[in-house]
Amino acid sequence: MGDTRAASGTGQGPGLPPVITCREPGSFARGVMAERHPALIEQVREAFPYGPQQLRALDALLHEIAHGVIEPLGHGSPDRDLWLEWGREHIGRPWFDAPFLWAESYFYRRLLDAVGYFGEGPWQAIDPFAPFKRAELSGDTVEAELRALDDLAVVTADERASALLDASLWGNRADLGFRGPGGEEGPASETASGLVADDRAVLWEILPPGARATVAVIADNTGRELIPDLVLVDHLLRHGHADRVVLHVKPGPYFVSDAMTADVVDCVRRLGQAPGEAGVIGGRIREAMGAGRLDLRAHAFFCAPFPYERMPDDLRAELGSGSLTILKGDLNYRRLVGDRLWPGTTSFADLTAYFPGPVAALRTLKSDVVVGLDPGVLEGLERSGRAWRTSGTHALVQVRP
């Protein structure tokens, strides 16, 4: 993984805002560490009939987060030395003192260690989040959203492209999908569509029909987010916006619902088995994969606790060779711009200047980090008194050509 073997550090430097940690009482990051992660441990316990060894390890991790200090991976872990190096500034200190991005990544790695995902034995390679992913994929909401694709089969290519881009953008929001934002729980009134930044026109300028581009898509969640991502990919290929798409997924379980190759397979199967337009799209996606026009990648860096500025040379070269990289979701955004307390008007173009080629972020806001906002938009959002940064009611499309 190249230079990612260096310690993560705090990344402090002259002129840089603080890295986000979990120290601040009442902060979003602290809530994740103090409430969401313990709740997830309990959910994983309930989802599987684990034996005493796994249950003891999960209990120990739960106690460690609340009352102890960060412990290293077990001696049998294949990447123990790597994480000791990455965490040399954090191991032995309270979880709440570590950078939020590092602590979240390490929490999920420790959870996998606790349930025996990497160890020899019957629980090896058993995804602890699989029951949650499957439940979402087989739910009534996905069924309704797949049926809604029939309505898009009769609109113009431009209208379809716009609708599918919006569906991909809002795909990880619970009450949205192929219909886009709206409804009683719709976005706050500061912007008509809930977008705090909107570079959709710039994205289509980079990928006009007939562009025959190579596009990289760095996926976020599976299920209700990955399905619209795949449908958008199908549109890009079918209408010549792209000649080839490379879909980057996680090499292992990560952040509960992050997509792995197995999840892509499940989503393609779900599309292919659906009636109507969804089934047709599923068939085309399968054909595109067989022809190499839709290719899968699962680089180890996508499970590393670092911003993309520290991506290894092989990944940098691959992303730099394409026409556009589309990063989906909140975590990818944090890694793209840096998980810091940036002023909201900080230039998105400046923070992503290091990225090896044109880059687009499609993100529903679910954490504190946001940059590139117009001062007037930011002022209105801040004045609203709502938790617009973390509630999932707002989104952005930002592009650096």
Side-chain angles (χ1 to χ4, degrees), residues 50-373:
Y50 287 123
Q53 180 179 344
Q54 290 76 32
L55 294 177
R56 283 195 298 268
L58 289 170
D59 289 342
L61 179 59
L62 184 63
H63 184 271
E64 178 186 317
I65 291 172
H67 306 291
V69 297
I70 299 171
E71 299 288 349
L73 290 170
H75 286 282
S77 299
D79 52 353
R80 172 183 163 88
D81 290 343
L82 191 61
W83 277 99
L84 283 173
E85 188 174 346
W86 287 349
R88 63 174 179 253
E89 298 180 22
H90 315 307
I91 291 174
R93 301 178 61 185
W95 280 86
F96 295 91
D97 289 347
F100 185 35
L101 179 62
W102 187 93
E104 275 199 294
S105 294
Y106 190 55
F107 165 79
Y108 283 99
R109 180 58 189 85
R110 286 287 306 281
L111 193 151
L112 293 180
D113 209 39
V115 299
Y117 182 84
F118 291 106
E120 296 289 339
W123 295 105
Q124 187 178 46
I126 301 299
D127 181 358
F129 313 127
F132 316 134
K133 297 175 182 179
R134 291 170 186 154
E136 181 184 64
L137 197 58
S138 62
D140 292 340
T141 302
V142 167
E143 180 72 27
E145 290 174 343
L146 293 180
R147 287 198 303 269
L149 283 170
D150 291 340
D151 297 333
L152 293 181
V154 297
V155 303
T156 67
D158 286 347
E159 291 173 324
R160 184 181 176 93
S162 178
L164 294 180
L165 182 64
D166 284 350
S168 179
L169 170 64
W170 291 97
N172 63 354
R173 184 180 167 199
D175 61 337
L176 299 171
F178 293 109
R179 297 167 183 80
E184 292 183 0
E185 296 181 6
S189 59
E190 289 83 0
T191 57
S193 67
L195 292 180
V196 300
D198 184 3
D199 290 341
R200 286 176 293 181
V202 180
L203 188 150
W204 291 122
E205 287 174 5
I206 297 173
L207 301 177
R212 300 295 177 186
T214 295
V215 177
V217 178
I218 301 180
D220 187 33
N221 298 316
T222 186
R224 292 187 61 200
E225 182 170 4
L226 185 59
I227 283 181
D229 291 347
L230 290 169
V231 174
L232 176 62
V233 165
D234 169 70
H235 182 90
L236 295 179
L237 292 171
R238 185 184 179 203
H239 292 275
H241 299 276
D243 191 53
R244 179 171 176 262
V245 175
V246 180
L247 180 62
H248 295 268
V249 296
K250 302 297 190 301
Y254 197 61
F255 279 57
V256 186
S257 57
D258 280 28
M260 306 186 298
T261 299
D263 302 314
V264 175
V265 173
D266 287 344
C267 287
V268 172
R269 183 180 294 118
R270 182 71 179 88
L271 279 164
Q273 292 174 346
E277 181 69 5
V280 174
I281 292 170
R284 284 199 301 259
I285 292 172
R286 191 181 183 97
E287 291 176 4
M289 295 178 75
R293 298 186 67 211
L294 173 55
D295 199 5
L296 293 182
R297 294 282 191 274
H299 198 289
F301 181 76
F302 292 118
C303 289
F306 303 113
Y308 283 116
E309 193 168 13
R310 295 184 58 173
M311 75 177 78
D313 292 341
D314 60 337
L315 183 59
R316 181 178 296 275
E318 180 172 355
L319 296 180
S321 66
S323 306
L324 178 68
T325 298
I326 299 173
L327 291 96
K328 285 299 310 298
D330 199 79
L331 176 61
N332 279 323
Y333 187 86
R334 291 163 58 196
R335 299 184 72 185
L336 177 65
V337 303
D339 205 29
R340 296 176 177 273
L341 296 173
W342 298 107
T345 56
T346 304
S347 169
F348 176 78
D350 288 349
L351 291 183
T352 59
Y354 72 88
F355 202 87
V359 62
L362 274 63
R363 174 214 183 189
T364 302
L365 275 63
K366 294 182 178 179
S367 67
D368 289 315
V369 179
V370 65
V371 300
L373 301 190

